[in-house]
Amino acid sequence: MRSYTIIAMALWACIVHAEKLVPFNSTEIQSVLAPEENRVWAQAEEIKQSIEKSDKLVTDNAIRVYLHAIADKLYPELRNKVHIHLFRAPHLNAFALPNGQIYLNVGLIARMENEAQLAALLGHEIAHFSYRHGHQQSQQVKSATAFARFVTLLGLPLIPDLLAISSIYGFSQELETEADEIGFERMVRAGYDPREAVRLFRLLQIEVKALDITEPFFFASHPKLQDRIDNFERLIREKGITDGEHSEKTFFEQIAHLRLHAMELDLAHNRYQPIIILLEAQSNLDRYPPEALYYLGEAYLRRGQEGDLQKAIKSFEQTTASVPTFALAHRALGMLRYKDRTHETAIPHLERYLELAPQAKDRAFVEHYLLEARKVHKP
Amino acid sequence: MNRIAAFLLCLLLCSCAVWTRIDQTDAVKGPGGNYHVVLPLGWVQFNPAGTDKLMITRDGPRMQRILLSRSSLEQAFPKLKKAAAISMLLPELAELQVAEMRTENSLTNIEIIETKPATVAGISAYRALLQYKDPKGLPIKILLYGFISKDSYHVLLFEAPQLHYFDRDLPVFEKMVLSARAS
């Protein structure tokens, strides 16, 4: 954490007033690049290629099409110039590279409630690209990158460049406010309700506070989220906005599987608390697919406090009742029953698991326990 | 300035690993002493002072490495702040081990290919085959065995680039695991 603080301080120390650049608004973006900006684009291209090599991007064409449709609605002049990618990581993070590559973590998109909230985030990040903030920052923080030379983050390479030219830690307050204003204007123009931006940033702020998140990312920073809330509330007040489109249903259909994937990622990193905080609220649970209860059960098991085992069993049983074909819930129940030696109950669940997931990575283990259970319980 | 440079040089030299060639075919004590194992002949070993770890390689740790480690049950998964327990099923131990590894920046994208039951030194163990890509996109494979013996959690790990090294040196690792005997 100390190294992140030093980097953040170094970045801030180096930031001075930026020269104003004309925003990208035509199809001939590369022809208007300044010579120095070409270098920044080359760095961004290297980062993009490294990210692609890392195998961390979601390759789901349907969700890509959906994300790009929202981006096109917000910035029609930048069609085919903005490329949105989903990053397979549970953290609350999103960032833009100067060459129009926008990265959103699955964990962040999974927290959203509707399309308007997603539009708020995309509106803000694309504004960083459109208004060439990466180039502006790179000219001011060259010396700061020296501090960041040995820092790695989420296994991403080229981090000094990433820090210098992307929005991963946020830009100067001036540039961030500009991105808020542009994003707000684009949301309103596209018909979205900008009040949902405030709601999104508040939701993230609540989670950051409840989980005591110390990750240095822009959208996991309590004060930076507060700045977004203040800016959007001011803009809403000034423009007198009282309504707009939320598009909750479409959003839900498009990202239901991502919500489950985000929880899978949380569990893979043993981050059980976000799942418990999210899903213990009935209002949130209603917005999740029924399989979400399985992940809540796993989160209880990992937390392991008094009473969590019973809560986990109840969650798994509710999952098998509502989605009988969901293999993982059968595995969880089978293993728990095997462990507490109620073999007659374990057997049908383990059998069902293997039937539903014949290619399971732990098939040999489950077959082994099934064999052991059958030795003890002979029908 | 010169004194600082000399100090840094001393520090560097002190921190240099002392690798010794494995030239005996007798079984040696594994870290913690709960089992004996025959190390691969001709490879080199390094035992960091003050740790229950033994690292072995043939061409250098970036080419291939075998790591034998031992920890107390309480300290089994320090980054997750979780303990191992005899009551845990082996797949639970394997899941915690992988989650612990994922806390390393370079291993956040590690994926499980397969887990299955195994036996090491006559003790029930898990065998987990994993893979990840390093920051340059090079696929790396890891095979690890984990088990609880007495009051200790033991891991025997083999890691190498998928290309050429993993398949070439895997039999050496598997032979070493097979040689393990309870002390």
Side-chain angles (χ1 to χ4, degrees):
Chain A
M1 188 56 207
R2 189 174 296 163
S3 59
Y4 292 131
T5 313
I6 292 168
I7 294 160
M9 285 168 64
L11 288 171
W12 281 107
C14 295
I15 287 168
V16 290
H17 282 283
E19 82 178 90
K20 279 280 175 195
L21 289 169
V22 180
F24 294 134
N25 57 10
S26 72
T27 51
E28 296 303 320
I29 285 175
Q30 258 149 324
S31 65
V32 300
L33 294 182
E36 183 66 9
E37 202 169 5
N38 268 310
R39 186 186 57 79
V40 172
W41 272 56
Q43 284 176 307
E45 187 57 31
E46 268 189 78
I47 295 171
K48 178 192 162 221
Q49 286 176 12
S50 296
I51 292 173
E52 278 169 5
K53 279 185 202 162
S54 72
D55 251 4
K56 288 182 180 172
L57 297 180
V58 172
T59 52
D60 175 341
N61 205 39
I63 190 76
R64 276 177 65 97
V65 169
Y66 177 61
L67 292 170
H68 283 89
I70 299 169
D72 292 346
K73 205 169 158 185
L74 292 165
Y75 293 85
E77 77 278 20
L78 296 176
R79 186 184 294 268
N80 298 325
K81 298 293 168 197
V82 169
H83 304 279
I84 304 162
H85 310 272
L86 272 181
F87 211 75
R88 271 196 291 127
H91 317 87
L92 304 179
N93 185 29
F95 62 93
L97 291 179
N99 61 349
Q101 308 296 322
I102 313 284
Y103 297 88
L104 267 77
N105 275 12
V106 167
L108 180 56
I109 199 170
R111 299 295 188 269
M112 296 174 185
E113 298 170 316
N114 53 47
E115 194 175 295
Q117 294 181 0
L118 177 55
L121 189 102
L122 287 176
H124 179 97
E125 289 303 322
I126 298 172
H128 284 313
F129 160 63
S130 173
Y131 281 68
R132 303 157 85 173
H133 291 170
H135 171 51
Q136 292 182 45
Q137 172 163 283
S138 75
Q139 294 188 308
Q140 296 144 17
V141 298
K142 277 176 198 158
S143 58
T145 60
F147 287 90
R149 189 165 296 149
F150 302 109
V151 177
T152 58
L153 192 68
L154 297 175
L156 286 177
L158 299 165
I159 289 304
D161 289 347
L162 189 59
L163 287 174
I165 64 173
S166 82
S167 58
I168 196 161
Y169 285 178
F171 293 121
S172 70
Q173 202 166 4
E174 188 189 354
L175 296 183
E176 290 299 345
T177 299
E178 184 174 56
D180 285 338
E181 286 167 355
I182 307 299
F184 171 86
E185 185 200 316
R186 294 302 178 121
M187 271 187 90
V188 173
R189 205 191 288 177
Y192 291 114
D193 184 349
R195 294 172 306 169
E196 285 304 302
V198 176
R199 186 167 163 78
L200 168 67
F201 297 133
R202 277 201 203 289
L203 283 173
L204 297 179
Q205 212 178 32
I206 289 167
E207 188 169 329
V208 167
K209 198 174 173 187
L211 296 173
D212 196 19
I213 291 176
T214 53
E215 290 147 8
F217 308 122
F218 184 71
F219 290 106
S221 153
H222 200 275
K224 285 174 186 169
L225 286 167
Q226 188 57 49
D227 288 346
R228 310 283 72 70
I229 292 167
D230 294 345
N231 282 343
F232 269 83
E233 282 184 338
R234 172 178 57 81
L235 291 163
I236 290 164
R237 227 176 17 248
E238 282 173 10
K239 306 285 178 190
I241 306 285
T242 54
D243 59 2
E245 194 185 316
H246 289 198
S247 299
E248 199 172 324
K249 192 168 175 285
T250 324
F251 181 77
F252 180 83
E253 286 163 3
Q254 292 288 339
I255 74 136
H257 65 295
L258 283 181
R259 286 198 161 130
L260 297 180
H261 187 44
M263 288 191 284
E264 210 175 286
L265 290 169
D266 272 324
L267 288 178
H269 291 83
N270 210 45
R271 289 164 49 106
Y272 49 82
Q273 280 171 314
I275 300 177
I276 295 174
I277 287 179
L278 265 177
L279 298 185
E280 277 191 340
Q282 187 61 43
S283 56
N284 282 338
L285 197 53
D286 293 342
R287 288 187 288 109
Y288 275 70
E291 294 90 336
L293 273 172
Y294 158 76
Y295 294 98
L296 179 60
E298 286 288 347
Y300 283 134
L301 279 186
R302 278 164 173 74
R303 186 172 69 174
Q305 288 179 359
E306 201 181 330
D308 277 349
L309 178 62
Q310 288 69 33
K311 285 182 188 173
I313 291 172
K314 190 178 165 199
S315 298
F316 296 143
E317 285 174 346
Q318 284 177 320
T319 315
T320 53
S322 54
V323 198
T325 53
F326 189 62
L328 290 172
H330 287 287
R331 178 194 182 276
L333 277 173
M335 290 297 209
L336 282 176
R337 293 310 184 198
Y338 177 85
K339 207 171 161 182
D340 68 19
R341 298 180 178 280
T342 45
H343 296 105
E344 70 278 14
T345 321
I347 292 169
H349 282 299
L350 294 177
E351 284 175 340
R352 187 80 177 118
Y353 170 63
L354 292 181
E355 198 182 302
L356 293 168
Q359 306 296 325
K361 291 169 182 172
D362 60 351
R363 184 175 182 94
F365 254 128
V366 176
E367 280 174 341
H368 170 75
Y369 289 127
L370 202 46
L371 204 68
E372 295 291 312
R374 283 181 188 138
K375 277 184 204 164
V376 179
H377 177 76
K378 289 174 186 156
Chain B
M1 190 63 199
N2 282 344
R3 263 188 290 176
I4 295 172
F7 172 74
L8 288 175
L9 185 65
C10 286
L11 202 68
L12 186 72
L13 290 172
C14 291
S15 63
C16 282
V18 182
W19 293 90
T20 53
R21 193 179 150 84
I22 300 164
D23 51 14
Q24 62 175 47
T25 51
D26 298 338
V28 297
K29 264 188 191 175
N34 285 354
Y35 64 94
H36 276 70
V37 68
V38 179
L39 303 180
L41 195 65
W43 287 38
V44 290
Q45 60 175 322
F46 168 51
N47 180 204
T51 66
D52 276 341
K53 287 186 170 68
L54 178 67
M55 196 193 287
I56 305 163
T57 183
R58 196 188 94 157
D59 307 302
R62 290 174 70 89
M63 298 296 103
Q64 80 282 95
R65 69 182 182 118
I66 290 173
L67 183 70
L68 311 183
S69 65
R70 174 262 165 207
S71 58
S72 66
L73 297 185
E74 296 72 33
Q75 286 296 310
F77 310 108
K79 286 177 185 155
L80 299 179
K81 297 187 180 105
K82 292 266 178 193
I86 295 175
S87 60
M88 280 180 176
L89 294 178
L90 290 166
E92 288 177 75
L93 270 182
E95 277 166 24
L96 282 171
Q97 178 64 44
V98 176
E100 176 81 6
M101 292 164 82
R102 281 193 182 115
T103 61
E104 294 290 332
N105 269 332
S106 57
L107 296 177
T108 53
N109 60 350
I110 202 161
E111 299 287 343
I112 299 172
I113 301 174
E114 183 193 48
T115 58
K116 57 183 184 184
T119 306
V120 179
I123 302 160
S124 290
Y126 66 80
R127 180 188 190 272
L129 182 60
L130 318 170
Q131 69 178 4
Y132 71 96
K133 280 189 179 173
D134 77 359
K136 288 182 178 163
L138 184 71
I140 310 284
K141 272 187 169 177
I142 295 177
L143 178 65
L144 59 102
Y145 289 85
F147 61 96
I148 291 177
S149 168
K150 297 173 189 166
D151 55 355
S152 299
Y153 172 59
H154 295 272
V155 171
L156 291 81
L157 176 150
F158 169 60
E159 179 174 0
Q162 185 178 318
L163 197 68
H164 182 64
Y165 290 96
F166 188 84
D167 287 345
R168 190 194 71 179
D169 297 326
L170 180 63
V172 178
F173 174 66
E174 293 282 31
K175 188 179 165 192
M176 191 201 78
V177 174
L178 269 177
S179 77
R181 298 283 175 267
S183 298

